[in-house]
């Protein structure tokens, strides 16, 4: 039981709960694919990387020998060409439900020892999201339905992870888009989930309607064009019964706005992040049979979304300024500000806090996430170093 | 001497020649970092990946126990911001020489057992380049200067590796840009190299002139703008004495034209290839302090260079056609056609030949390099599969 002491996890019992041989679980731990969270959450473990049959980011809660699993949200695959994707994936059903895919960050909420906690996609418990969620969701749902995990998007201003002011809301809010049973991971049907959400007064992602497979492609294209103009992200297309896997489809404008955010810090911009967004543009442009004018607009939008933020960054560093990602957080409990800072620092981020300001019941504080990599690289280029 | 038999290389002697401990050389071979070429070149070995002090692509020729080294061409670093790069890298000298960087492929030529052979960057002996080089370069240079390796760019039409018809020439040709001593790897001074080239009637890359460090940035910017308009690639900036390392700087149009070629086969387009080209655009646009109109042109050019070829590819596959990279090769010796096909197949490429046509002294044959990866991926999208 070499790992018992290290992780304080009872390997035998945990393995039994996970239906894995104990030797397999030991191996998973040894490889670093099951990691312990810290402080008040040190009896919560998260799956990172590959473990068989277990979604990445799944959290294992150790209730002193009995266990609970909070499954990671399954990755939703993407349609590149909408029409064939709809026909290929939903040929067995008559109609699909279309809901908005919001541009924020994905959290899972469960009741944990009498309070709600919010897991990020990776299975960490984010102290800021956790504090926020207390104010957004009533606990009675979780008392009435302890077997259900609520999945939602944290979107809006005062967002530490995705800064987009594209929704007409004052501050960060939580929009439910899925509910699943803890033990099986099975999702609730769309209708049932929306009714339940309504009953408990949850915000939910926008429902565009249910469309027959034949009309869906035209309807969704229309929706995407409208959402694009508003700067919204896109849609998720679902089997009403949630038996077939949902698929996502997004707007060009949102794609480009992602690139615009990423290329302010060009030196950290993921190569795959860039590539995948660029490829989406090519497929959409083809499927929409764009005329020369529309196509030129798309080309310009794409080019500009990369070059404009880069130029801004170089100009900023040239004046001697350091780059930072600046945002506000809004909390009710002032202690959460420092907890959140410590949480960011755990991930190796360097964060500078402003002075908290009282607004109504809340404290609002400016956070500057200092960016070293792109600042240093840009400075090096300005000083005459060569690229490589 | 486990590797003696396998590689037929006398480890002891080769190690002595390379000034490495024999155990170190054995290790390099074991790791696959020194590999044997084949057929008539099976006594030539090439360095792949990391070997200490040895350029990637360096060839080791085994003359039955005595050895010869044909060093790989050292990677030339790139200026992102021209002016600071010039000042940072050439502060110790008064002036720099500027030569054209042509857009073709880099080969090294040496005399090998009475004929000239052409190494590609990786240290393979390309049968096509080897045949061509016989006709471009007279052997007398190599007899008079057996201690010198000639480095040049193979550019122009009938090019199997880089298809760009941007030079005013009828067929593939060889343009010398460097000469180095075999034993030390030391380069000849620019002047001396150009004189020697002229003396033996070699084609050489264009010389733009020698500029003082202070005026160089403005002059080179002017040259780059002109070259860009013609679709040429860029320049290499050199210490006339070739003591300091040269640096390269390229045109936006050439960058974009690289992307245009790459994105016809978008599924194989390297993530790093895309990223590095995009970043160059950002730096150049900043350094040139472009006005809105110029900047918009650059954005459009960048976006179009990615999306236009992708759309073409999807449309082509939608008609049921398979994608291929089509080019001609032109040879004097008809046997080289099949040798070249076999050579391509060694690299896992599937190649279809047309019927050779006699043109003057030469045979010209169309080659189709069939592209499977992007064809298959595009077909899958058209059939409704999801991206991932």
């Amino acid at each position: 039981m070499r790992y018992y002491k290290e992780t304080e996890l009872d390997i035998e019992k945990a393995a039994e709960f996970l239906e894995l041989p104990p030797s397999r679980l030991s191996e998973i731990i040894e490889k670093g694919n099951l990691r312990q969270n810290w402080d008040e959450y040190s009896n919560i473990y998260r799956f990172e990387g590959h473990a068989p049959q277990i979604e990445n980011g799944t959290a294992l809660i150790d209730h002193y020998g009995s266990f609970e699993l909070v499954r990671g949200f399954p990755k939703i695959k993407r349609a590149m060409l909408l029409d064939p994707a709809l026909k290929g994936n939903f040929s067995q059903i008559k109609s699909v439900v279309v809901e908005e895919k919001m541009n924020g960050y994905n959290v899972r909420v469960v009741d944990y020892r009498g309070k709600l906690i919010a897991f990020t996609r990776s299975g960490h418990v984010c102290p800021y999201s956790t504090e926020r969620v207390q104010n957004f969701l009533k606990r009675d749902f979780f008392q009435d339905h302890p077997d259900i995990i609520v999945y939602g998007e944290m979107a809006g201003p005062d967002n530490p992870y995705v800064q987009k002011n594209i929704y007409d809301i004052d501050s960060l809010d939580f929009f439910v888009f899925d509910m699943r049973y803890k033990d099986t991971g099975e999702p609730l049907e769309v209708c049932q989930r929306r009714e339940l959400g309504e009953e408990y007064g949850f915000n939910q992602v926008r429902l565009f309607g249910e469309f027959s497979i034949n009309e869906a492609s035209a309807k969704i294209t229309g929706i995407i064009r409208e959402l694009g103009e508003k700067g919204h992200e896109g849609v998720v297309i679902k089997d009403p019964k949630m038996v077939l896997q949902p698929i996502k489809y997004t707007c060009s404008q949102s794609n480009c706005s992602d690139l615009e955010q990423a290329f302010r810090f060009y030196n950290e911009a993921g190569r795959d992040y860039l590539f995948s967004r660029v490829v989406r543009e090519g497929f959409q442009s083809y499927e929409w049979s764009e005329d020369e004018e529309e196509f030129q607009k798309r080309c310009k939008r794409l080019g500009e979304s990369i070059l404009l933020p880069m130029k801004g960054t170089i100009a900023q560093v040239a004046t001697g300024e350091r780059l930072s990602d600046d945002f506000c957080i809004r909390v009710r409990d002032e202690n959460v500000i420092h907890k959140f800072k410590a949480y960011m620092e755990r991930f190796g981020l360097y964060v500078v806090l402003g002075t908290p300001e009282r607004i109504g019941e809340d404290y609002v504080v400016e956070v500057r996430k200092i960016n070293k990599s792109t600042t240093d690289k840009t400075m090096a280029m300005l000083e005459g170093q060569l690229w490589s």
Side-chain angles (χ1 to χ4, degrees), chain A:
Chain A
M1 284 296 196
R2 186 177 143 210
Y3 297 102
Y4 182 76
K5 263 213 160 130
E6 258 180 85
T7 66
E8 295 172 18
L9 186 69
D10 185 326
I11 301 280
E12 293 285 346
K13 283 191 184 165
E16 195 190 328
F17 171 76
L18 293 166
E19 299 179 347
L20 287 174
S23 63
R24 185 74 194 86
L25 182 58
S26 295
E27 212 182 285
I28 288 171
I29 294 169
E30 201 166 349
K31 281 192 181 154
N33 292 344
L34 181 64
R35 290 169 184 263
Q36 189 169 21
N37 286 338
W38 53 85
D39 296 343
E40 66 225 84
Y41 306 117
S42 61
N43 61 327
I44 303 182
Y45 300 80
R46 60 189 192 279
F47 284 92
E48 287 187 6
H50 263 330
Q53 317 285 350
I54 297 173
E55 292 290 347
N56 217 344
T58 292
L60 175 70
I61 306 180
D62 179 1
H63 296 294
Y64 309 109
S66 79
F67 295 92
E68 194 182 340
L69 207 61
V70 181
R71 284 168 202 272
F73 187 69
K75 191 172 158 47
I76 297 182
K77 289 191 180 180
R78 174 179 298 276
M80 278 290 169
L81 296 172
L82 181 61
D83 188 59
L86 283 168
K87 288 177 179 147
N89 287 273
F90 298 114
S91 60
Q92 308 155 48
I93 56 176
K94 289 214 173 78
S95 62
V96 288
V97 171
V98 179
E99 288 187 317
E100 181 161 357
K101 174 173 181 10
M102 294 181 82
N103 201 335
Y105 61 101
N106 176 311
V107 301
R108 281 162 285 163
V109 180
V110 295
D111 186 299
Y112 174 74
R113 302 184 179 172
K115 76 166 192 176
L116 302 185
I117 58 171
F119 287 102
T120 62
R121 197 112 199 190
S122 58
H124 291 94
V125 181
C126 166
Y128 179 60
S129 313
T130 292
E131 198 261 12
R132 290 286 79 194
V133 112
Q134 310 299 325
N135 306 304
F136 301 154
L137 300 178
K138 291 199 212 100
R139 263 194 70 219
D140 54 357
F141 173 89
F142 297 90
Q143 284 162 335
D144 299 345
H145 302 282
D147 54 336
I148 292 181
I149 301 165
V150 176
Y151 297 81
E153 196 80 358
M154 286 282 215
D158 307 325
N159 189 327
Y161 305 118
V162 179
Q163 285 100 51
K164 295 215 171 158
N165 285 329
I166 50 181
Y167 304 106
D168 193 20
I169 47 183
D170 287 340
S171 182
L172 194 66
D173 217 329
F174 180 84
F175 300 86
V176 176
F177 58 71
D178 208 357
M179 293 183 188
R180 289 170 186 256
Y181 293 105
K182 275 182 194 163
D183 51 355
T184 60
E186 293 284 309
L188 274 66
E189 292 185 13
V190 175
C191 220
Q192 189 191 359
R193 186 243 306 154
R194 292 197 70 99
E195 275 166 20
L196 212 50
E198 184 137 348
E199 190 186 328
Y200 285 87
F202 293 169
N203 285 329
Q204 308 195 52
V205 295
R206 182 172 166 197
L207 172 71
F208 289 101
E210 187 166 342
F211 307 112
S212 74
I213 298 297
N214 284 332
E215 65 173 348
S217 169
K219 291 277 188 196
I220 294 168
T221 302
I223 293 166
I224 284 290
R225 284 188 192 271
E226 263 177 54
L227 289 178
E229 273 164 33
K230 291 199 285 178
H232 287 209
E233 185 177 3
V235 296
V236 180
I237 306 152
K238 298 176 176 177
D239 169 6
K241 300 227 172 298
M242 289 294 286
V243 173
L244 303 176
Q245 294 300 308
I247 65 182
K248 61 187 171 194
Y249 187 64
T250 54
C251 312
S252 168
Q253 291 87 341
S254 173
N255 244 339
C256 289
S257 136
D258 286 352
L259 290 174
E260 203 174 316
Q261 296 244 339
F263 271 83
R264 266 197 73 211
F265 308 112
Y266 68 88
N267 203 43
E268 291 119 291
R271 299 346 190 213
D272 288 343
Y273 191 88
L274 169 63
F275 179 79
S276 59
R277 276 159 186 77
V278 147
V279 165
R280 292 175 203 167
E281 293 299 310
F283 277 101
Q284 193 170 77
S285 180
Y286 167 79
E287 188 170 22
W288 290 7
S289 310
E290 288 175 330
D291 64 23
E292 189 55 23
E293 192 191 329
E294 284 173 307
F295 179 62
Q296 289 302 333
K297 257 174 83 175
R298 188 186 289 272
C299 292
K300 241 186 58 183
R301 180 165 62 230
L302 175 60
E304 214 176 275
S305 70
I306 297 170
L307 299 184
L308 201 58
M310 256 199 84
K311 280 180 78 166
T313 281
I314 304 168
Q316 189 180 341
V317 176
T319 68
E321 254 185 83
R322 293 171 74 187
L323 301 169
S324 63
D325 199 8
D326 302 346
F327 52 88
C328 285
I329 59 172
R330 171 188 289 251
V331 296
R332 203 143 295 176
D333 172 3
E334 210 182 347
N335 292 317
V336 172
I337 299 170
H338 297 281
K339 259 179 138 172
F340 178 68
K341 183 173 189 271
Y343 177 77
M344 296 299 266
E345 285 166 354
R346 276 265 182 178
F347 296 101
L349 301 167
Y350 176 49
V351 158
V352 179
L353 296 177
T355 312
E357 199 186 327
R358 192 89 207 218
I359 294 181
E361 282 183 279
D362 296 328
Y363 295 91
V364 175
V365 60
E366 214 188 289
V367 184
R368 297 187 63 199
K369 222 168 69 192
I370 304 296
N371 176 292
K372 198 170 146 46
S373 161
T374 301
T375 306
D376 289 355
K377 186 73 176 182
T378 308
M379 189 59 79
M381 294 299 108
L382 287 163
E383 285 169 353
Q385 285 185 41
L386 303 174
W387 185 255
S388 72

